[in-house]
Amino acid sequence: MGNSVRKGKVVIANESQVKSLHLNKAATRDPDLRKPEIRPYKVGDKEESEWGKNNGKSSVETKIQQYISSSEVVIFSKTMCENCSKVKDHFDELDIPYFAVELDLLNNGQSLEKELYIYTMETALPNVFVKEKLIEDYTDIVQLSKDGLFQKLLESKDDKPRENTYEYDLIVIGGGSGGLAASKEAAKYGKKVLVLDYVTPSPLGTTWGLGGTCVNVGCIPKKLMHQAALLGQALKDSIKYGWQIEDNVQHNWDIMTESIQNYIGSLNWNYRVSLMENKVKYENGYGEFVEPHKIKSTNKKGKVKFYTAERFLIATGERPRYLGIPGDKEYCITSDDLFSLPYCPGKTLVIGASYVALECAGFLAGLGLDVTVMVRSILLRGFDQQLAEKIGEHMEEHGVKFLKHFVPTKIEQIEAGTPGKLKVTSQSTDGTKITEEYNTVLLAIGRDACTRTIGLHIPGVKINEKTGKIPVNDEEQTNVPHIYAIGDVLEGKLELTPVAIQAGRFLARRLYGNSTVKCDYINVPTTVFTPLEYGACGLSEENAILKYGEENIEVYHSYFWPLEWTVPARDNNKCYAKVICNIKDNEKVVGFHVLAPNAGEITQGFAAAIKCGLTKEQMDSTIGIHPVCAEIFTTLSVTKRSGGSIMQAGC
Ligand code: FAD
Ligand code: NA7
């Protein structure tokens, strides 16, 4: 140890001691002990290698100081230590974020522990530092929080402003919907921002450009392929409107994908330009933590660079899950591959029954392909089940086959090719085994958060071990105060592009623009782009019943027939409107559901009204626009409870 280390300790027992601490005059329990030196740590010595020497200090000591200064509350602990758990639980109860350094989980834990002992003279863990000052033991902490002194200590300004020697104010890991929005917003406040974005190729080798899932392999190509399918339907309808088209109209997959990919290419380019214009530095590198304030970026060629930042934002999104059965990674595709597939997929089996599965099955069938959906349990888990079933019925009537209560057990290749031929063995819940041949098998069985290989254990960011998702507080802050997370990686939040964007922008404004506005995750509207689109905002009927009780909700509903569909005489009594109201709150609308063409456009407007506290009476007093689908919401009069007829004969 160098001379800079003093063998003193700070014991905080009452308010005056907190004050004196604030004045950098620490009290000591034992008068014989020397007054401790409170040493602010200076981080970010760029030249320093991870475990090298720094300013004459041993690298272990430097490391300890880095940890101590990484957060307002830092707890050196061990996962199996009872007192450590008590202390962490106590901080959890107080809702005070802390940074726990679990010494038994770190490779260099033993040497850190030794050094910590020299530094603190504490023989037992935990060692708790608040604003870089050591608090002796558990009982002190309890006493402090009982007296309300703890909050005061946290709220007190630093004795000296800490020197900021980080290279960046903010490093964003992940250049998707959320990451790009947050980085540009932060840069608007004059902050120095770096975005790292890197696409790990899919098992079949598919990769893409800047912008994340939505732009490259999500919302954008999905909606455009849905549009391609709707145009096929429009072509059929057009005959009754007098258009004379050839009998055998064919769809060309290659032209569609090329046009869509060209458009996506232009978006990738626009994102780069926009980062440049906003003075955000972009690097096409894979980011992972190597220290609490330091990140490693590895590019495609394996070249490595290191960067430090005061704060970090994790916005790494999710990637498709695989089944873990023979042949899945070798022969199946996922949505990551589908939108740029260089050949028409042919006869396709879609495995999974949530919105990605049904949307893909819907447009593939709409393009004229033979499509089967393998459903393990129910359609569209989490959505209103009445509407989910109606979507299934509509898809079935339009040629999609459903294999219900089956799961695949093996995928074998019979013939290579573009597409080739695959044999799929599956088993039903009652044990029945079947095999069937397909050209393509598309897996849409869920997505995993990209959080397990980015070194989160180094700064100590907690993830849900089962799901890989990151829990955050209502300010998108993880348990490590200088690290934030947004978008699809978040636990218990909606996985939607506008949600990630809103959370990212608001976070940057709070961090750098003195804003206090938080992202509101309630009543977020969404749309499922199945052939018959489904728009929803607020609670499903099932959840409304759970929340308010069946007797306390009124459900108004009706079928309707879009005028455009009357001439081709198709799909009457398929479009459906449902509004769920809370009787005890002046029939406030708590759930809005619509099956209709352009359901997203309809739902967006109603979502604004719902945010303003829309009631049924206000809906009734709104004058409709005639003749449009959404006017049905101004005339809903039949309640589900009444059992009255809701069938429509005409407009
Ligand atoms: P992403 O957009 O996924 O961005 C994360 C980025 O981080 C990616 O580029 C990833 O490659 C990169 N990355 C990961 N790890 C690292 C690392 N260690 N270092 C550097 N970079 C890394 N939402 C809607 O609102 N509407 C829709 O219609 C819709 N349709 C969808 C259709 C499909 C098929 C899918 C799959 C999703 C759809 N979504 C839709 C969801 C939407 O795409 C996501 O909610 C949104 O993209 C989440 O944004 P994000 O910023 O959290 O992550
Ligand atoms: P979801 O919403 O997680 O749904 C997964 C679907 O896949 C669901 O229907 C599951 O059935 C089904 N599933 C899951 N595992 C299996 C196996 N092993 N075999 C058969 N079927 C299975 O995933 P999505 O891909 O649709 O969407 C994920 C996110 O991506 C979404 O939130 C968007 O942001 C984009 P279950 O109901 O569990 O029986």
Side-chain angles (χ1 to χ4, degrees):
M1 289 302 305
N3 291 334
S4 63
V5 175
R6 296 280 208 86
K7 294 174 183 174
K9 56 185 170 183
V10 182
V11 182
I12 305 163
N14 58 45
E15 190 166 11
S16 63
Q17 285 171 331
V18 173
K19 279 190 196 130
S20 65
L21 257 180
H22 182 44
L23 296 168
N24 203 2
K25 287 180 187 153
T28 56
R29 178 178 285 171
D30 182 343
D32 291 329
L33 278 176
R34 280 181 295 167
K35 197 163 71 184
E37 177 186 311
I38 296 173
R39 290 157 295 136
Y41 157 66
K42 291 191 178 63
V43 263
D45 185 343
K46 204 177 153 196
E47 307 311 319
E48 187 219 345
S49 73
E50 280 164 60
W51 285 95
K53 284 264 179 189
N54 182 20
N55 300 334
K57 287 178 191 160
S58 82
S59 55
V60 185
E61 185 195 352
T62 305
K63 192 82 189 171
I64 286 176
Q65 292 193 341
Q66 283 179 336
Y67 279 129
I68 291 172
S69 62
S70 68
S71 170
E72 289 202 317
V73 180
V74 178
I75 306 173
F76 289 90
S77 77
K78 284 188 176 172
T79 50
M80 304 305 281
C81 152
E82 210 176 299
N83 280 343
C84 301
S85 302
K86 278 188 198 163
V87 168
K88 285 179 278 182
D89 290 348
H90 192 67
F91 277 101
D92 285 337
E93 271 164 37
L94 294 174
D95 209 20
I96 293 176
Y98 57 84
F99 169 33
V101 183
E102 303 292 5
L103 295 167
D104 53 341
L105 297 183
L106 292 174
N107 290 338
N108 58 331
Q110 273 192 344
S111 48
L112 281 177
E113 195 177 359
K114 262 195 215 158
E115 189 72 24
L116 202 58
Y117 167 68
I118 299 170
Y119 187 84
T120 64
M121 290 301 284
E122 290 290 342
T123 46
L125 290 172
N127 288 172
V128 179
F129 288 82
V130 176
K131 290 204 161 179
E132 302 185 17
K133 292 143 202 160
L134 176 69
I135 296 179
E136 194 191 29
D137 66 19
Y138 179 59
T139 43
D140 285 336
I141 290 166
V142 173
Q143 190 54 46
L144 272 174
S145 57
K146 262 193 200 155
D147 297 344
L149 297 181
F150 218 40
Q151 292 294 356
K152 283 196 182 160
L153 181 59
L154 279 171
E155 279 158 23
S156 70
K157 296 273 173 278
D158 278 336
D159 301 312
K160 285 185 240 156
R162 187 182 296 165
E163 197 182 329
N164 180 359
T165 52
Y166 301 115
E167 291 159 287
Y168 287 92
D169 294 302
L170 179 68
I171 293 182
V172 178
I173 314 172
S177 310
L180 291 179
S183 60
K184 286 187 274 186
E185 195 69 18
K188 280 186 194 155
Y189 293 100
K191 295 296 155 187
K192 207 175 161 202
V193 185
L194 167 70
V195 173
L196 297 178
D197 189 62
Y198 184 87
V199 179
T200 307
S202 77
L204 294 188
T206 313
T207 182
W208 50 88
L210 178 63
T213 303
C214 170
V215 161
N216 295 288
V217 286
C219 332
I220 300 293
K222 179 276 300 287
K223 177 94 190 284
L224 292 172
M225 292 200 174
H226 170 64
Q227 172 65 8
L230 291 183
L231 288 172
Q233 178 65 57
L235 269 176
K236 288 182 202 152
D237 288 356
S238 73
I239 297 166
K240 281 275 183 187
Y241 283 99
W243 290 98
Q244 293 178 355
I245 52 171
E246 285 170 29
D247 281 352
N248 195 14
V249 179
Q250 293 294 314
H251 179 262
N252 185 310
W253 176 271
D254 296 349
I255 293 176
M256 175 185 71
T257 43
E258 194 187 331
S259 315
I260 293 175
Q261 288 304 320
N262 284 344
Y263 175 62
I264 291 173
S266 75
L267 293 179
N268 297 145
W269 174 248
N270 289 347
Y271 280 125
R272 273 180 180 243
V273 172
S274 148
L275 287 180
M276 265 176 354
E277 282 171 354
N278 282 282
K279 299 195 172 51
V280 174
K281 180 165 173 359
Y282 158 64
E283 187 163 298
N284 185 202
Y286 187 86
E288 54 194 304
F289 282 94
V290 289
E291 286 179 22
H293 283 270
K294 192 172 187 179
I295 199 151
K296 178 169 97 175
S297 164
T298 311
N299 77 5
K300 263 185 222 155
K301 294 184 178 147
K303 193 165 175 242
V304 167
K305 285 188 199 164
F306 294 90
Y307 300 101
T308 59
E310 186 184 14
R311 292 188 172 108
F312 290 84
L313 176 60
I314 303 160
T316 47
E318 295 181 310
R319 293 298 292 271
R321 192 173 299 150
Y322 281 78
L323 285 160
I325 60 169
D328 66 342
K329 283 201 171 152
E330 294 91 322
Y331 308 124
C332 297
I333 63 166
T334 69
S335 53
D336 279 0
D337 308 294
L338 178 66
F339 303 115
S340 57
L341 203 64
Y343 53 86
C344 178
K347 181 180 174 187
T348 302
L349 172 69
V350 177
I351 300 174
S354 194
Y355 88 75
V356 173
L358 297 192
E359 287 177 341
C360 293
F363 71 68
L364 290 176
L367 298 178
L369 303 184
D370 178 338
V371 179
T372 304
V373 180
M374 187 178 285
V375 183
R376 179 167 71 174
S377 58
I378 56 168
L379 302 184
L380 292 176
R381 183 179 297 286
F383 288 90
D384 190 291
Q385 281 303 294
Q386 188 194 5
L387 279 92
E389 276 164 32
K390 287 187 191 301
I391 287 172
E393 283 161 22
H394 178 264
M395 286 176 72
E396 222 162 347
E397 283 164 18
H398 284 257
V400 177
K401 287 167 263 181
F402 284 87
L403 255 177
K404 290 201 174 150
H405 305 294
F406 271 91
V407 287
T409 53
K410 192 165 52 171
I411 321 279
E412 293 160 288
Q413 189 177 55
I414 303 171
E415 213 177 286
T418 52
K421 237 188 221 166
L422 301 172
K423 184 167 117 187
V424 179
T425 309
S426 354
Q427 194 166 349
S428 78
T429 35
D430 66 15
T432 316
K433 264 196 175 171
I434 54 166
T435 58
E436 177 71 49
E437 287 178 16
Y438 300 93
N439 297 117
T440 298
V441 177
L442 171 72
L443 302 182
I445 56 156
R447 296 167 61 82
D448 291 320
C450 304
T451 54
R452 297 193 197 269
T453 53
I454 56 173
L456 289 181
H457 62 286
I458 291 178
V461 174
K462 272 190 199 154
I463 60 169
N464 177 326
E465 283 306 333
K466 209 168 150 213
T467 61
K469 295 266 187 167
I470 304 177
V472 288
N473 63 17
D474 63 353
E475 303 209 31
E476 286 86 25
Q477 188 177 35
T478 69
N479 63 306
V480 178
H482 71 280
I483 302 180
Y484 297 79
I486 51 167
D488 284 2
V489 293
L490 293 189
E491 182 171 67
K493 300 284 194 286
L494 290 152
E495 293 163 6
L496 293 167
T497 279
V499 175
I501 293 175
Q502 180 97 306
R505 278 204 189 122
F506 284 7
L507 172 66
R509 286 178 200 167
R510 285 195 310 275
L511 291 178
Y512 304 118
N514 288 325
S515 165
T516 52
V517 182
K518 295 171 190 175
C519 181
D520 182 3
Y521 293 93
I522 309 291
N523 285 337
V524 174
T526 184
T527 294
V528 178
F529 292 96
T530 34
L532 183 53
E533 294 175 14
Y534 167 26
C537 183
L539 299 175
S540 63
E541 193 174 333
E542 294 83 1
N543 284 345
I545 290 172
L546 275 179
K547 186 163 178 189
Y548 299 109
E550 198 162 6
E551 66 288 3
N552 294 320
I553 61 162
E554 198 68 87
V555 179
Y556 295 89
H557 67 158
S558 183
Y559 284 110
F560 58 98
W561 200 12
L563 181 64
E564 298 82 345
W565 295 2
T566 55
V567 169
R570 69 171 168 95
D571 290 323
N572 192 9
N573 288 314
K574 297 295 165 212
C575 289
Y576 180 70
K578 170 154 104 175
V579 166
I580 305 159
C581 302
N582 178 5
I583 296 172
K584 287 195 163 162
D585 191 9
N586 193 26
E587 285 208 311
K588 189 168 159 181
V589 176
V590 294
F592 174 97
H593 303 270
V594 59
L595 283 182
N598 303 310
E601 312 293 345
I602 299 173
T603 309
Q604 185 71 79
F606 278 97
I610 290 169
K611 212 165 170 47
C612 300
L614 180 71
T615 63
K616 178 65 172 50
E617 195 188 349
Q618 287 167 337
M619 286 181 98
D620 295 342
S621 66
T622 304
I623 295 176
I625 300 172
H626 190 68
V628 302
C629 290
E631 74 179 306
I632 189 74
F633 286 100
T634 64
T635 57
L636 285 177
S637 59
V638 182
T639 64
K640 243 190 179 179
R641 212 188 298 279
S642 73
S645 171
I646 54 166
M647 301 304 241
Q648 299 292 304
C651 90

